[in-house]
Amino acid sequence: MESMGNMIRTHSCNDLRKANVGDEVVLMGWVLRRRDHGGVIFIDLRDRWGLTQIVFNPETDPEAHAKAHQLRSEWVLAVRGKVEARPDDMANPKLATGEIEVMVSELRVLNSSDTPPFPLDEDIEVSDSLRLQYRYLDLRRPEMAANMVMRHKAVQAIRTYLDDHGFLDIETPMLTRSTPEGARDYLVPSRVNAGRFYALPQSPQLFKQLLMIAGMDRYYQIVKCFRDEDLRADRQPEFTQIDMELSFVDEEQIITVTEGMIAVLFKKTLGLDLTPPFARMTYDEAMSRYGTDRPDTRFAMEIVDLTAIAATCGFKVFREVADGGGTVRAINARGCGSFSRKDLDDLTSFAVQLGAKGLAWVKMKAAGEWQSPIAKFFTDDERAAIARELDAVEGDLFFFGADKPAAVCQVLSELRLELARRLGLLKKDVFNFTWVTDFPLVEYDDKEKRFQALHHPFTAPREADVDRLETDPASVYSRAYDLVLNGTEIGGGSIRIHQRQMQARVLKVLGIGEEEARDKFGFLLRALELGAPPHGGLAFGLDRLMMIITGSDSIRSVIAFPKTQKATCPLTEAPAPVSRKQLTELYLRPDWKE
Amino acid sequence: MESMGNMIRTHSCNDLRKANVGDEVVLMGWVLRRRDHGGVIFIDLRDRWGLTQIVFNPETDPEAHAKAHQLRSEWVLAVRGKVEARPDDMANPKLATGEIEVMVSELRVLNSSDTPPFPLDEDIEVSDSLRLQYRYLDLRRPEMAANMVMRHKAVQAIRTYLDDHGFLDIETPMLTRSTPEGARDYLVPSRVNAGRFYALPQSPQLFKQLLMIAGMDRYYQIVKCFRDEDLRADRQPEFTQIDMELSFVDEEQIITVTEGMIAVLFKKTLGLDLTPPFARMTYDEAMSRYGTDRPDTRFAMEIVDLTAIAATCGFKVFREVADGGGTVRAINARGCGSFSRKDLDDLTSFAVQLGAKGLAWVKMKAAGEWQSPIAKFFTDDERAAIARELDAVEGDLFFFGADKPAAVCQVLSELRLELARRLGLLKKDVFNFTWVTDFPLVEYDDKEKRFQALHHPFTAPREADVDRLETDPASVYSRAYDLVLNGTEIGGGSIRIHQRQMQARVLKVLGIGEEEARDKFGFLLRALELGAPPHGGLAFGLDRLMMIITGSDSIRSVIAFPKTQKATCPLTEAPAPVSRKQLTELYLRPDWKE
């Protein structure tokens, strides 16, 4: 292997154009492909920026040509050469550098490579675990490299925007105290303080509130957060949050500054011009129209409430649900009347898996005729009324949900998405933002037999509802807001409680007495007694946001070194065993089978 | 307490000038001071940006004036009012807003405050632990707020510069595998993988090398790192690193891009124009001239080697050291001939604490006379020769060290700094940068009886020395470089080994065989076999850098929520006990006395 010697790179592998013809250049990069044609060797040299074709001609430089014969995929080269125009019929219009090639006069082989465990120049299926084990190879693939570049651009755009708007980037501790976010903490045993543990932050929630109380006025941080939860496809043990907090503002100012940030983000990453203000919808409206507080508004297919009709109809199942305080709702899958028996069976299983007892469907035929197992239970008038409510025409297909409201919402909202998936309505190049506002402050937890905060215990109640806090907590709305993009909650936040008395009242509603409160976050309560300004903020999930921006199917595609669903890293083999001495130093003993 | 209602802040408390006279404005902030003069109430309203005097006149608004009577320190206000010019004799030229005041027409008390545990408007001594317990109050003090703003500006300047220079901000994992950095890891038990532990990173060293192997070309990250070490004044369990790595470059290119970054940093924070290139010095030169690889070049007082003279002199102590392979060196404290007996006693104790057996000193009198306990052992010629070497004149004071070179270096380098401290030579507004280069690759560890890497095991040896790796490792220099600012190492790095064979050879020198290597960082070794480019980088300690930039005496002053020397947080009381259930979930049992 050779050193770079006196060679200094002059261009990236994506720089050279026809205007460079005649220039002497130095390129460095990886061998993507080698082709030999009539004694001439052609190599696609790759770096982060792109590809350039380099050419070894035995007549130009016999020595380099001879060396080039040994080159294999992923070897690392430095080449000096002259930029030449490709003959017109050899130009590659798909490649930015496709009009030129570099005739090599000096070759240095900076490193060799074993044959990679999977090829990088073909779009073949590679197992996730192999990709993660050889992540450094996986990241060489242009799509993955582009994701990393996009993520960099995104955070840089956000940072610049927030800097321009008076936000201070302030770091909060990683070794901290368990915050009451509800999820399980990752713990870090202390060696100096026997029997005590740090927790890795689930979010910097309390610290950012303290920073507002400290007068920092506008804070942001792009920060790692941690949850030791059972993992799903979209979850990682550590994830990155764009965390913001502002003082002396209300919802409107926070929403405005956030919309500006999102607009800049999409401009700087995708070149798109979003046009704030974004749509807004109350929680109640989102639940009734979409059955979820994360409405995907890229398509309509809204949920329609038919309880009134159902209450008097001839179909006993519906009638009983309506009479028993339940709800009957439906969605109209426009033009899906041609769905097959199998389609309907699949959708029925889908609904049953979500907890439905079955799935009533109706195919709308000509002249308002219904093709449906339940057609016979409805009068002509009822059918007409239902069709009117659903705005149904010939060729439509509709589905009913009849149950308690929460159950119906869950089934119909998921069914709506499944239908959209089948119909290709979930377009990746459409970006529909919706603010969901006016959430309930609390919800009743049937298992724990107490009220839980819908967001977190520091969310302010709506001022107009405060009088009902103790008497009818379920009717109190909060000053929380979520930003939903294409059916995914990408961010959320609230105006916080900044007064000690109010915080105590809300904690009491949540069943947290003064003593427990003082024990868990006494420092926040104390801070509220020492001049806390009105404040609020929000946090975005960067990984999910980048997944949507890059059109990726998994958040793993936008994280350089992600973990598996078992929270392991196939590359480094973390987590790993430690020595007994290390445990002893931490005042711990094993409680596992070795 | 009142809400902000329809009041929207129009200016910060540092915005208003004479040009604003007549404007109606809305300010929000904290009561710093209240003064009552002839029925009129004056309040200094404070926010992150500054102070504005607001005035409550019973004639302008009797209602606001009446409310203002209740206001106390640190209450939170929103005020509407009219900007008025202060009478010339009442203007405060020290205050940016000193020419105006705001005559309040509407006051809303947004929050009250208990009496703070320490006053914020006086420069009184407050204990560190009280400051940390009420950090949110401490951060309201203008010096502390200014430090946070400065740190924000610093990281923003660095990010913008690195973005402009092709660096990608890429996040590396926090839950990772122990890296072989030498210090103790913070461990995080895995719940999903019984008996296995993550380690919090001591640095992203291996990940950034993997990112280079992945073709990312230029990486940076401003990232938290962790070391579970016994804490000293300048150390925190978690600290922040500016971490960089570049491919296809050598030392020169890395130094150039880094110097550009430092210049931008100082320009954007302090408004200073540094003039790269910075001074450079080899390790050997730094050791011989300053006795340390972190030379403080703000002042001279260099170490002079007098071994040759000592070898033949009449002072037996010196002669024996010189004959025994030791060294005799001295520094000249210019103009310190007037130091008292007590000064000299103090300096002698200082040297003894550092391991010296004593401290020989000489006061230079007129006509080359020595006043010194050892004067009698030297001939006139020897005295003249020593004075010549030390460039000594009447009124100077010099100190000798005679011992093994390492011991002499330690004593004289520390003594040099102590003298500079006493002489006021450590000016906080002077910024002297020095690159120290050409470090030894390894040093012999007498305790462990083996060679240790002076930087880390991935540092490349100098090419010219590679042949001596196995035969004379101590003579091999590395391609490492440190950047020293005013005697503090603020950053360091190296060209890394990018070839599998070379890495194996260096590991072998360090006593790490193939098997141990494979076990500890086999993934890196494997990556070196799959097309690793030449690469190198460096890392800066952000906390220490900010301490110097802000002229602070402690890194705690530039960290929003630092820990004590016992690694605790007096604010949140982290670390804290956890439940037995939490431990059981992690397959751990307590091994401490409850």
Side-chain angles (χ1 to χ4, degrees):
Chain A
M1 297 307 105
E2 296 158 288
S3 74
M4 291 181 291
N6 63 349
M7 283 170 84
I8 293 180
R9 181 163 54 165
T10 59
H11 296 79
S12 84
C13 291
N14 203 37
D15 279 344
L16 298 172
R17 301 287 183 275
K18 219 160 194 175
N20 299 99
V21 167
D23 294 353
E24 190 185 85
V25 298
V26 173
L27 302 181
M28 303 193 185
W30 285 261
V31 174
L32 179 63
R33 270 181 292 264
R34 196 188 90 185
R35 293 180 305 279
D36 298 27
H37 275 303
V40 179
I41 298 173
F42 297 86
I43 281 178
D44 286 341
L45 193 69
R46 187 201 63 236
D47 67 11
R48 179 180 116 198
W49 292 271
L51 291 181
T52 299
Q53 177 164 292
I54 60 175
V55 183
F56 297 85
N57 191 321
E59 287 162 30
T60 315
D61 184 343
E63 196 192 335
H65 181 266
K67 270 161 74 178
H69 261 299
Q70 310 159 21
L71 301 178
R72 297 288 178 275
S73 284
E74 301 308 316
W75 286 37
V76 188
L77 312 183
V79 294
R80 192 190 303 278
K82 206 167 175 183
V83 182
E84 297 192 353
R86 294 199 205 178
D88 277 349
D89 58 331
M90 302 293 282
N92 180 351
K94 284 191 209 148
L95 205 63
T97 61
E99 292 189 305
I100 59 89
E101 58 194 13
V102 173
M103 194 61 62
V104 176
S105 59
E106 185 181 354
L107 163 66
R108 285 168 174 262
V109 179
L110 304 179
N111 216 343
S112 61
S113 171
D114 285 359
T115 303
F118 50 86
L120 303 185
D121 61 338
E122 291 164 43
D123 206 14
I124 65 157
E125 198 68 29
V126 180
S127 80
D128 273 358
S129 76
L130 200 64
R131 284 178 59 187
L132 290 180
Q133 187 185 346
Y134 291 93
R135 190 61 164 182
Y136 45 90
L137 296 181
D138 195 34
L139 288 171
R140 285 186 200 161
R141 297 191 300 125
E143 316 85 84
M144 289 299 292
N147 287 352
M148 295 301 119
V149 173
M150 198 71 114
R151 185 169 174 135
H152 163 78
K153 279 187 189 168
V155 295
Q156 187 60 21
I158 290 166
R159 292 183 189 286
T160 303
Y161 175 87
L162 292 174
D163 178 53
D164 288 344
H165 285 76
F167 287 80
L168 296 180
D169 181 355
I170 302 180
E171 294 176 62
T172 53
M174 292 282 116
L175 295 172
T176 179
R177 187 167 175 168
S178 175
T179 46
E181 303 280 326
R184 199 185 284 105
D185 286 314
Y186 276 104
L187 298 180
V188 183
S190 169
R191 178 180 55 87
V192 185
N193 305 278
R196 290 175 172 262
F197 295 75
Y198 304 98
L200 299 178
Q202 294 184 34
S203 91
Q205 180 63 33
L206 298 187
F207 286 109
K208 68 178 175 173
Q209 293 192 232
L210 290 172
L211 286 173
M212 294 302 100
I213 298 170
M216 294 295 112
D217 213 284
R218 294 188 163 202
Y219 143 93
Y220 92 95
Q221 197 182 185
I222 298 181
V223 62
K224 278 282 174 69
C225 300
F226 305 83
R227 288 183 189 198
D228 187 9
E229 296 277 35
D230 295 322
L231 301 177
R232 297 187 310 228
D234 260 23
R235 278 214 194 136
Q236 286 279 314
E238 56 184 290
F239 55 98
T240 305
Q241 226 170 258
I242 308 164
D243 197 46
M244 303 159 61
E245 197 80 4
L246 302 80
S247 294
F248 300 116
V249 292
D250 63 17
E251 293 88 332
E252 289 307 318
Q253 289 152 294
I254 292 176
I255 284 176
T256 301
V257 78
T258 303
E259 288 178 343
M261 181 181 90
I262 296 289
V264 164
L265 172 63
F266 274 71
K267 183 71 184 173
K268 292 282 174 69
T269 51
L270 296 175
L272 282 181
D273 290 298
L274 303 180
T275 51
F278 299 150
R280 294 198 200 177
M281 201 180 287
T282 65
Y283 172 86
D284 289 340
E285 187 183 351
M287 291 307 288
S288 87
R289 288 172 59 190
Y290 299 94
T292 172
D293 56 2
R294 300 185 304 276
D296 191 333
T297 59
R298 280 176 295 180
F299 61 102
M301 214 189 294
E302 294 187 14
I303 295 171
V304 174
D305 192 331
L306 302 173
T307 313
I309 301 172
T312 58
C313 77
F315 186 33
K316 203 175 137 203
V317 175
F318 281 10
R319 219 174 45 231
E320 285 179 356
V321 164
D323 289 349
T327 189
V328 178
R329 300 182 194 178
I331 53 175
N332 177 6
R334 177 79 68 205
C336 296
S338 55
F339 269 27
S340 68
R341 185 74 227 177
K342 176 166 188 316
D343 289 332
L344 293 168
D345 287 347
D346 288 350
L347 291 167
T348 302
S349 325
F350 181 83
V352 167
Q353 271 169 28
L354 290 166
K357 291 175 197 83
L359 182 64
W361 54 264
V362 168
K363 283 184 181 174
M364 195 63 177
K365 296 290 173 184
E369 279 298 299
W370 280 18
Q371 179 191 337
S372 166
I374 62 167
K376 57 178 178 255
F377 299 116
F378 293 83
T379 65
D380 285 353
D381 280 355
E382 285 163 0
R383 289 190 219 170
I386 288 171
R388 204 163 44 239
E389 291 291 326
L390 285 168
D391 192 22
V393 297
E394 180 182 345
D396 287 357
L397 167 64
F398 30 100
F399 296 96
F400 297 85
D403 203 333
K404 286 183 194 150
V408 170
C409 282
Q410 205 207 333
V411 171
L412 289 187
S413 67
E414 290 294 334
L415 191 64
R416 185 179 165 269
L417 286 177
E418 175 59 22
L419 286 163
R421 227 169 271 132
R422 287 164 177 250
L423 296 170
L425 299 177
L426 303 180
K427 302 220 182 307
K428 284 193 173 183
D429 56 350
V430 174
F431 300 95
N432 270 23
F433 292 88
T434 309
W435 287 104
V436 179
T437 63
D438 298 83
F439 285 81
L441 182 70
V442 297
E443 59 187 350
Y444 195 72
D445 185 328
D446 283 324
K447 249 193 246 160
E448 305 252 330
K449 302 279 176 225
R450 63 180 188 90
F451 287 103
Q452 299 268 21
L454 206 75
H455 277 77
H456 55 57
F458 315 108
T459 301
R462 225 162 52 173
E463 260 178 84
D465 304 345
V466 158
D467 289 344
R468 296 194 306 276
L469 249 183
E470 288 79 11
T471 53
D472 186 8
S475 77
V476 174
Y477 288 89
S478 75
R479 297 178 69 180
Y481 34 80
D482 281 356
L483 184 57
V484 175
L485 167 56
N486 293 355
T488 298
E489 182 211 318
I490 56 167
S494 62
I495 300 296
R496 326 297 182 186
I497 298 167
H498 72 286
Q499 289 166 331
R500 177 66 172 87
Q501 283 304 96
M502 182 58 68
Q503 186 66 70
R505 286 174 65 186
V506 168
L507 290 173
K508 206 170 166 194
V509 169
L510 300 171
I512 302 175
E514 274 287 331
E515 197 175 340
E516 185 184 352
R518 230 186 283 274
D519 182 48
K520 278 192 176 160
F521 28 85
F523 57 100
L524 178 72
L525 301 179
R526 180 70 180 126
L528 294 178
E529 295 167 343
L530 285 160
H535 64 285
L538 75 175
F540 286 91
L542 179 64
D543 308 303
R544 245 189 256 184
L545 192 54
M546 291 316 303
M547 181 176 128
I548 298 176
I549 288 177
T550 60
S552 301
D553 292 322
S554 160
I555 53 170
R556 287 207 291 269
S557 299
V558 296
I559 297 172
F561 300 102
K563 302 255 182 334
T564 65
Q565 293 210 28
K566 289 223 133 192
T568 62
C569 170
L571 171 60
T572 60
E573 294 178 22
V578 298
S579 71
R580 188 65 192 265
K581 173 167 169 282
Q582 282 174 288
L583 278 193
T584 306
E585 277 188 329
L586 300 173
Y587 306 94
L588 293 171
R589 281 181 298 160
D591 190 19
W592 65 83
K593 290 181 196 107
E594 314 236 13
Chain B
M1 298 305 105
E2 297 158 286
S3 74
M4 290 181 293
N6 64 347
M7 284 170 86
I8 293 180
R9 181 163 53 166
T10 59
H11 296 79
S12 83
C13 291
N14 202 35
D15 280 344
L16 299 172
R17 300 288 183 275
K18 220 159 191 175
N20 299 100
V21 167
D23 294 354
E24 191 186 83
V25 299
V26 173
L27 303 181
M28 302 191 186
W30 285 260
V31 174
L32 179 63
R33 270 181 293 263
R34 196 188 93 184
R35 293 180 306 280
D36 299 29
H37 275 303
V40 178
I41 298 172
F42 297 87
I43 280 177
D44 284 342
L45 194 69
R46 187 201 63 235
D47 67 12
R48 180 181 116 198
W49 292 272
L51 292 181
T52 300
Q53 177 164 293
I54 60 176
V55 184
F56 297 85
N57 191 319
E59 285 160 31
T60 316
D61 184 343
E63 197 192 335
H65 181 267
K67 270 161 73 178
H69 261 300
Q70 309 159 20
L71 301 178
R72 297 287 178 275
S73 285
E74 302 308 316
W75 285 36
V76 188
L77 313 183
V79 294
R80 193 190 303 278
K82 207 166 174 181
V83 183
E84 297 192 354
R86 295 199 205 177
D88 277 350
D89 58 331
M90 302 292 282
N92 181 349
K94 286 190 209 148
L95 205 62
T97 62
E99 293 189 306
I100 60 91
E101 58 194 12
V102 173
M103 193 61 63
V104 177
S105 59
E106 185 181 354
L107 164 65
R108 284 168 174 263
V109 178
L110 303 179
N111 216 343
S112 61
S113 170
D114 286 359
T115 302
F118 50 86
L120 303 185
D121 62 338
E122 292 164 42
D123 206 14
I124 64 158
E125 198 67 30
V126 181
S127 80
D128 273 357
S129 76
L130 200 64
R131 284 178 59 188
L132 291 179
Q133 186 185 347
Y134 290 94
R135 190 61 164 180
Y136 45 90
L137 296 181
D138 196 33
L139 288 171
R140 285 186 199 160
R141 297 191 301 125
E143 317 83 84
M144 289 300 292
N147 286 353
M148 295 302 118
V149 172
M150 198 73 114
R151 185 168 173 136
H152 163 77
K153 279 187 188 166
V155 295
Q156 187 61 20
I158 289 167
R159 292 182 188 287
T160 303
Y161 176 87
L162 292 174
D163 178 53
D164 289 344
H165 286 76
F167 287 81
L168 297 180
D169 180 355
I170 302 179
E171 294 175 62
T172 52
M174 292 282 115
L175 295 173
T176 180
R177 188 168 175 166
S178 177
T179 45
E181 303 281 326
R184 198 186 283 106
D185 286 314
Y186 276 105
L187 298 180
V188 183
S190 168
R191 180 180 54 88
V192 184
N193 306 277
R196 289 176 171 261
F197 296 74
Y198 304 98
L200 299 179
Q202 293 183 35
S203 90
Q205 181 62 34
L206 297 186
F207 285 109
K208 69 178 174 173
Q209 292 193 236
L210 291 171
L211 286 172
M212 294 302 101
I213 297 171
M216 294 296 112
D217 212 285
R218 293 188 164 203
Y219 143 93
Y220 92 94
Q221 197 181 184
I222 298 181
V223 61
K224 278 280 173 74
C225 301
F226 304 84
R227 287 183 189 199
D228 186 8
E229 296 276 35
D230 295 322
L231 302 177
R232 297 186 310 228
D234 260 22
R235 278 214 194 137
Q236 286 279 314
E238 55 183 292
F239 54 96
T240 305
Q241 226 169 257
I242 307 163
D243 196 45
M244 302 160 62
E245 197 80 4
L246 302 80
S247 293
F248 300 115
V249 292
D250 63 17
E251 293 88 332
E252 289 306 318
Q253 289 152 294
I254 293 175
I255 285 176
T256 301
V257 78
T258 303
E259 288 179 343
M261 181 181 89
I262 296 288
V264 164
L265 172 62
F266 274 72
K267 183 71 184 173
K268 292 281 175 71
T269 51
L270 296 175
L272 282 181
D273 290 298
L274 302 181
T275 50
F278 300 150
R280 295 198 201 177
M281 202 180 287
T282 66
Y283 172 87
D284 289 340
E285 186 184 352
M287 291 306 287
S288 87
R289 290 172 57 190
Y290 300 94
T292 172
D293 55 2
R294 301 186 303 277
D296 191 332
T297 59
R298 282 176 293 180
F299 62 101
M301 213 190 294
E302 294 187 12
I303 295 172
V304 173
D305 193 331
L306 303 173
T307 313
I309 301 173
T312 59
C313 76
F315 186 32
K316 203 176 136 206
V317 174
F318 281 10
R319 220 173 46 232
E320 284 180 359
V321 166
D323 289 349
T327 187
V328 178
R329 300 181 194 178
I331 52 176
N332 178 5
R334 177 79 67 207
C336 294
S338 55
F339 269 28
S340 67
R341 184 74 227 176
K342 177 166 186 315
D343 289 331
L344 293 168
D345 285 348
D346 288 351
L347 290 167
T348 303
S349 325
F350 181 84
V352 168
Q353 272 169 30
L354 289 165
K357 289 174 198 84
L359 182 63
W361 54 265
V362 168
K363 283 183 182 174
M364 205 44 190
K365 297 290 175 187
E369 279 299 297
W370 282 19
Q371 179 190 337
S372 166
I374 61 168
K376 55 179 179 254
F377 300 116
F378 293 84
T379 66
D380 285 353
D381 280 355
E382 284 162 2
R383 288 190 220 172
I386 288 171
R388 204 163 45 241
E389 290 292 324
L390 286 168
D391 192 23
V393 296
E394 180 182 346
D396 287 356
L397 168 64
F398 29 102
F399 297 96
F400 297 86
D403 203 333
K404 286 183 194 146
V408 170
C409 282
Q410 206 207 333
V411 170
L412 289 187
S413 67
E414 290 294 334
L415 191 64
R416 185 178 165 269
L417 287 177
E418 175 59 23
L419 286 163
R421 227 169 270 133
R422 287 165 177 250
L423 295 170
L425 299 177
L426 303 180
K427 302 220 181 308
K428 285 194 172 182
D429 56 350
V430 173
F431 299 95
N432 270 25
F433 293 87
T434 309
W435 286 104
V436 178
T437 63
D438 297 82
F439 284 82
L441 182 70
V442 296
E443 58 187 349
Y444 194 73
D445 185 329
D446 283 323
K447 251 193 243 160
E448 305 252 331
K449 302 279 175 226
R450 63 181 188 89
F451 286 103
Q452 299 268 22
L454 206 74
H455 277 78
H456 54 57
F458 315 108
T459 301
R462 228 162 50 172
E463 260 176 84
D465 304 345
V466 158
D467 290 344
R468 296 194 306 276
L469 249 183
E470 288 78 11
T471 52
D472 186 9
S475 78
V476 174
Y477 287 90
S478 75
R479 298 178 69 181
Y481 34 81
D482 281 357
L483 184 56
V484 175
L485 167 55
N486 293 356
T488 298
E489 182 211 318
I490 56 167
S494 62
I495 299 295
R496 327 297 183 186
I497 297 166
H498 71 286
Q499 288 166 333
R500 177 66 171 88
Q501 283 304 97
M502 182 57 68
Q503 186 66 70
R505 287 175 65 188
V506 168
L507 290 174
K508 207 170 166 195
V509 169
L510 300 172
I512 302 174
E514 273 287 331
E515 196 174 340
E516 185 184 353
R518 229 186 284 273
D519 182 49
K520 278 192 176 161
F521 28 84
F523 57 100
L524 178 73
L525 301 178
R526 180 70 180 126
L528 293 179
E529 295 168 344
L530 285 158
H535 63 285
L538 74 175
F540 286 91
L542 179 63
D543 307 304
R544 245 190 256 182
L545 193 53
M546 290 316 302
M547 182 175 125
I548 297 176
I549 288 177
T550 61
S552 301
D553 291 322
S554 160
I555 52 171
R556 287 207 292 269
S557 298
V558 296
I559 297 172
F561 299 102
K563 301 254 184 333
T564 64
Q565 293 211 28
K566 289 222 133 192
T568 63
C569 170
L571 171 59
T572 61
E573 294 178 21
V578 299
S579 71
R580 188 63 193 266
K581 175 167 169 282
Q582 282 174 289
L583 277 193
T584 305
E585 278 188 329
L586 300 172
Y587 306 93
L588 292 171
R589 282 181 299 159
D591 191 18
W592 66 83
K593 290 184 195 106
E594 314 236 12

